[in-house]
Amino acid sequence: MATHVSMCCRMFGGRTGLPHLRKLLFQRVKGNIRRRYCGATHKENEAELGDSTSASADFALSVKTGSRQERMRDGSILPFSAFLTDSFGRRHSYLRISLTEKCNFRCQYCMPDEGVKLTPRSQLLTTSEVLTLARLFVREGVEKIRLTGGEPLIKPDVVDILKELRKLEGLKTIAVTTNGLNLSRLLPKLKESGLDLINISLDSLVPAKFEFIVRRKGFHKVMEGIDKAIEMGFNRVKVNCVVMRGLNEDELLDFVALTEKKPLEVRFIEYMPFDGNKWNFKKMVSYQEMLDLIRQKWPNLETLQTGCQTAKMFKVPGFDGQVGFITSMSDHFCGSCNRLRITADGSLKVCLFGNAEVSLRDMLRSGASDEELLQIIGAAVGSKKKQHAGMFNISKMKNRPMIHIGTSSQRPLSPAELRDSCRAFPVVSLLPRTPGAAVFCTQLLNANKDVKRHHVRLCHSQSSGDPSGELGASASSRTRSSSNDSAEAQLTHMDGEGRATMVDVGDKAPTRRTASASATVLLGHTAFRLLRDHQLAKGDALATAQLSGIMAAKQTSSLIPLCHALPLDHTSVTFDLVEPQNAAVVTATCRSTGRTGVEMEALTAASIAALTIYDMCKAVSHDIIITDVKLVSKTGGKRTFHRPS
């Protein structure tokens, strides 16, 4: 059914006007929009993933119609739903549902120090709404559902939810991710209700450190839950450990040793950026670094071929358990991603690291039919990117705190994002609305209009809004600003996946380049006087600092890994002594004739000269501050820079 679509997102006070809109919708599609399927084989999907450029923008060519009942009566195998198949052929058979935003821990990598503002209860999905969406997704081909949070086991009716999910025909696996605090108490009921798999978060085997990371007590209860899950026959019990440099990377070997006698699957997760968790690249321990450290202790570590695309699996020979690595940052697995997420407030997220969402809650509460819900789900899945933006770009993007994967961030998509989201499904647009007004998202079909590009935008009625009512008016200007910011923030030393790379300057013509940088050393009265009067015990500090700065400029490429080695024509290091502030201001200037600039050489010279002054004066006082290290000017190359005085 190759129907061309245009999209409209309308506002309604309460439910006024909804019957008219639904009538208009089904005047054009009645009898024709019952179900879409993707008939592509698995091999065909893999071929599409291998070459994203071959993915057709008009996905409708591979879509077939007909109801599930009709197909089953024909005795044929039901193809996977096209609503859950993206434009790269990825079939989304795994759904994660957040039951609550609340948690009884306060993990540092998950929740900001200041806590999070919880969504009002009335704006969270009810149990009935959770089950309604679960039934719809399972009917379309989802085979695995994982219940998450917050902490799902603090939801009073979690056992009842499990029982209802177990009744869904076609659902093969029900899993839970928990912090383990309430696990041992609830395990018998969870097992009886049909729970298949358990993932338990545990970031330290040292009780005191555990309490520091989660900001709560409970280590022994978590360990009790792990042991009881093993005892009750859950296989395998998975233990998730987020590894953070300077915090728990020293426990890697202890976690591996845990698998010697226990049939656990310990999974080390690279530290990922989310709102409020103060992500820093330096805190992230990469998969390869972890693997190298483990192999130093167990050089015969075996690689396992499990068919799991999410985790890279290994096993120490003779151990009962195994270890895995979730490499979302250093070696993403987006090409095989089959996951969708529904947040506690009813937003559908097609990518954990993406900030585009669509509210299924609002659709449900507006009385939308299954067909209408599927149109919106199909549009969201169809907009899914080939891969996430890379760790450095993700760290700058507005997204929810990990504990939420909830309240909408309402960021308009940039033009580049719109171009990337080609798909012949309807789109969900964001239009201005008055506070408190309900928003209903659907589509109007227009057979005469050939729509080439579609996009999914955020759509909520209550949980997040535009108090000023000016969201629509300012959207285009914010989109332009976002696009400009992205252009300015492009890191030339990073490839498309966030890995460090050296810039190729071979095609550039050599030009004369100059750069100046400065640094200020605040000395205090006594040290300043001795420096000025050449009375320091170590000798002439300024002469020594001048030599060290010049030497440092020549060694810049050895100190800064991705800098090019440049032949310097000249380097000078000078000093200004500012008596009222008891400060020594270092100015370094470098000149070169080459293909790239010398600002790093100037900055290195100024910094090392300042450090040398500190070293020469520290016997007098350690109350010395090096501050205001900055580029003053640069000339040559494509851009000239002069810092205002």
Side-chain angles (χ1 to χ4, degrees):
M1 120 185 168
T3 307
H4 300 297
V5 296
S6 61
M7 182 63 207
C8 179
C9 177
R10 304 285 296 179
M11 300 180 298
F12 298 89
R15 293 172 65 168
T16 305
L18 182 57
H20 173 72
L21 182 60
R22 189 174 289 109
K23 180 180 179 182
L24 178 60
L25 171 68
F26 282 98
Q27 280 176 347
R28 306 301 293 267
V29 299
K30 187 176 181 182
N32 193 37
I33 181 179
R34 300 182 65 182
R35 186 68 185 273
R36 291 179 177 174
Y37 297 99
C38 174
T41 66
H42 181 64
K43 287 184 178 179
E44 288 169 344
N45 288 337
E46 284 184 337
E48 287 185 34
L49 247 89
D51 182 8
S52 64
T53 59
S54 67
S56 171
D58 189 0
F59 193 64
L61 292 175
S62 65
V63 170
K64 300 178 181 179
T65 60
S67 69
R68 172 178 284 269
Q69 290 78 13
E70 289 168 347
R71 302 295 291 245
M72 294 301 285
R73 281 199 297 270
D74 291 341
S76 59
I77 297 175
L78 183 70
F80 195 83
S81 169
F83 292 107
L84 302 184
T85 305
D86 68 16
S87 57
F88 300 102
R90 292 173 293 202
R91 298 176 173 186
H92 295 80
S93 59
Y94 179 8
L95 178 66
R96 299 171 67 98
I97 303 176
S98 173
L99 297 182
T100 178
E101 296 175 352
K102 295 180 180 179
C103 186
N104 41 11
F105 281 170
R106 297 291 184 270
C107 300
Q108 294 188 26
Y109 54 82
C110 181
M111 182 180 285
D113 291 342
E114 65 276 12
V116 294
K117 183 178 180 181
L118 295 176
T119 303
R121 186 175 179 180
S122 63
Q123 295 171 24
L124 299 175
L125 289 178
T126 65
T127 297
S128 174
E129 289 169 337
V130 167
L131 294 173
T132 295
L133 290 174
R135 290 188 192 100
L136 180 62
F137 276 89
V138 171
R139 196 186 77 191
E140 294 299 309
V142 163
E143 297 178 336
K144 178 178 179 180
I145 289 179
R146 178 176 296 278
L147 301 180
T148 67
E151 169 50 42
L153 298 190
I154 67 175
K155 189 169 176 65
D157 57 352
V158 63
V159 172
D160 296 329
I161 292 173
L162 278 169
K163 289 179 180 177
E164 292 302 313
L165 290 177
R166 192 74 280 172
K167 297 175 184 177
L168 298 181
E169 184 179 353
L171 182 60
K172 297 179 180 178
T173 305
I174 304 175
V176 163
T177 294
T178 173
N179 61 31
L181 190 63
N182 297 333
L183 185 59
S184 61
R185 174 172 58 84
L186 291 174
L187 261 177
K189 291 182 178 179
L190 296 173
K191 179 86 171 177
E192 183 182 343
S193 301
L195 182 65
D196 299 304
L197 299 175
I198 300 176
N199 285 30
I200 302 163
S201 299
L202 178 65
D203 302 309
S204 178
L205 298 173
V206 180
K209 191 188 294 185
F210 171 91
E211 292 179 16
F212 174 76
I213 293 173
V214 307
R215 304 183 181 115
R216 293 290 186 274
K217 296 182 181 297
F219 172 77
H220 297 292
K221 283 189 175 182
V222 175
M223 295 304 296
E224 180 186 346
I226 292 173
D227 290 336
K228 190 162 186 176
I230 295 172
E231 179 187 326
M232 293 185 66
F234 285 94
N235 191 21
R236 296 185 178 265
V237 177
K238 295 179 181 178
V239 173
N240 294 341
C241 175
V242 177
V243 182
M244 294 164 282
R245 193 181 307 281
L247 194 59
N248 63 347
E249 88 278 14
D250 59 330
E251 296 187 59
L252 280 169
L253 302 183
D254 296 332
F255 272 100
V256 177
L258 200 63
T259 68
E260 183 175 7
K261 303 297 183 184
K262 299 179 186 290
L264 296 171
E265 182 178 312
V266 174
R267 305 199 305 174
F268 299 114
I269 302 173
E270 291 178 338
Y271 183 40
M272 296 179 278
F274 291 97
D275 264 15
N277 72 352
K278 299 180 180 177
W279 185 86
N280 187 310
F281 172 69
K282 295 178 181 178
K283 291 183 183 179
M284 194 200 82
V285 184
S286 71
Y287 145 67
Q288 193 60 54
E289 184 178 347
M290 289 188 271
L291 185 61
D292 291 344
L293 181 62
I294 293 169
R295 277 193 163 139
Q296 289 178 19
K297 177 72 178 289
W298 292 285
N300 58 343
L301 189 70
E302 297 177 350
T303 303
L304 300 180
Q305 303 298 330
T306 63
C308 174
Q309 300 295 323
T310 304
K312 295 174 172 61
M313 300 306 304
F314 297 84
K315 182 181 178 69
V316 178
F319 281 23
D320 287 346
Q322 57 196 40
V323 296
F325 301 88
I326 309 296
T327 62
S328 303
M329 296 293 97
S330 66
D331 187 13
H332 69 75
F333 38 86
C334 302
S336 60
C337 181
N338 66 341
R339 303 178 180 201
L340 300 172
R341 289 172 168 80
I342 297 177
T343 63
D345 64 352
S347 290
L348 176 64
K349 285 179 72 75
V350 297
C351 175
L352 175 63
F353 302 108
N355 50 16
E357 304 170 356
V358 61
S359 177
L360 302 181
R361 178 201 66 203
D362 290 347
M363 294 284 293
L364 281 170
R365 295 182 184 180
S366 298
S369 66
D370 286 357
E371 284 79 9
E372 291 171 312
L373 282 166
L374 287 173
Q375 295 303 306
I376 301 302
I377 292 167
V381 174
S383 73
K384 187 168 181 174
K385 306 291 184 61
K386 182 181 180 182
Q387 62 191 50
H388 67 57
M391 67 178 119
F392 292 101
N393 290 326
I394 291 171
S395 67
K396 296 181 178 68
M397 291 167 59
K398 183 69 176 173
N399 199 358
R400 303 171 181 243
M402 184 60 185
I403 192 172
H404 257 189
I405 299 296
T407 324
S408 160
S409 58
Q410 289 208 345
R411 180 193 62 86
L413 301 184
S414 70
E417 289 171 313
L418 300 184
R419 288 192 296 272
D420 289 341
S421 60
C422 294
R423 174 76 185 252
F425 271 120
V427 303
V428 183
S429 243
L430 181 65
L431 293 183
R433 59 182 174 85
T434 55
V439 176
F440 179 77
C441 300
T442 187
Q443 76 212 323
L444 299 176
L445 296 164
N446 183 348
N448 297 321
K449 186 172 182 179
D450 185 8
V451 179
K452 298 294 185 183
R453 295 187 174 93
H454 314 282
H455 60 282
V456 176
R457 288 193 182 177
L458 315 176
C459 181
H460 274 273
S461 67
Q462 303 281 346
S463 63
S464 59
D466 176 29
S468 67
E470 297 175 354
L471 185 58
S474 62
S476 61
S477 62
R478 287 208 312 276
T479 300
R480 288 192 298 270
S481 174
S482 174
S483 178
N484 292 338
D485 290 346
S486 297
E488 293 169 3
Q490 184 66 36
L491 297 173
T492 58
H493 284 295
M494 297 297 160
D495 63 15
E497 297 179 2
R499 289 190 283 256
T501 183
M502 195 170 189
V503 176
D504 186 351
V505 298
D507 293 334
K508 293 184 178 181
T511 59
R512 185 175 178 80
R513 316 265 185 154
T514 303
S516 293
S518 67
T520 301
V521 186
L522 303 178
L523 292 162
H525 176 71
T526 303
F528 179 82
R529 178 178 56 80
L530 293 172
L531 174 72
R532 180 195 61 195
D533 298 339
H534 304 288
Q535 293 180 353
L536 290 167
K538 286 189 174 183
D540 190 340
L542 297 181
T544 305
Q546 184 182 49
L547 288 174
S548 69
I550 293 171
M551 292 174 64
K554 294 189 289 185
Q555 294 296 319
T556 298
S557 63
S558 299
L559 298 171
I560 312 296
L562 299 180
C563 281
H564 296 80
L566 297 178
L568 293 174
D569 298 335
H570 179 72
T571 299
S572 67
V573 177
T574 60
F575 306 91
D576 290 313
L577 300 182
V578 184
E579 192 156 353
Q581 287 79 39
N582 295 316
V585 179
V586 183
T587 301
T589 301
C590 296
R591 290 202 307 270
S592 175
T593 303
R595 292 184 171 88
T596 188
V598 288
E599 55 264 41
M600 290 308 302
E601 282 72 14
L603 285 163
T604 302
S607 301
I608 297 300
L611 284 169
T612 303
I613 292 175
Y614 179 96
D615 180 62
M616 298 289 285
C617 298
K618 68 183 181 182
V620 178
S621 171
H622 285 93
D623 188 15
I624 300 172
I625 299 173
I626 299 175
T627 185
D628 206 22
V629 179
K630 61 189 177 185
L631 180 67
V632 176
S633 66
K634 69 177 288 288
T635 60
K638 289 193 293 186
R639 289 181 294 177
T640 295
F641 171 81
H642 292 283
R643 186 179 299 278
S645 57

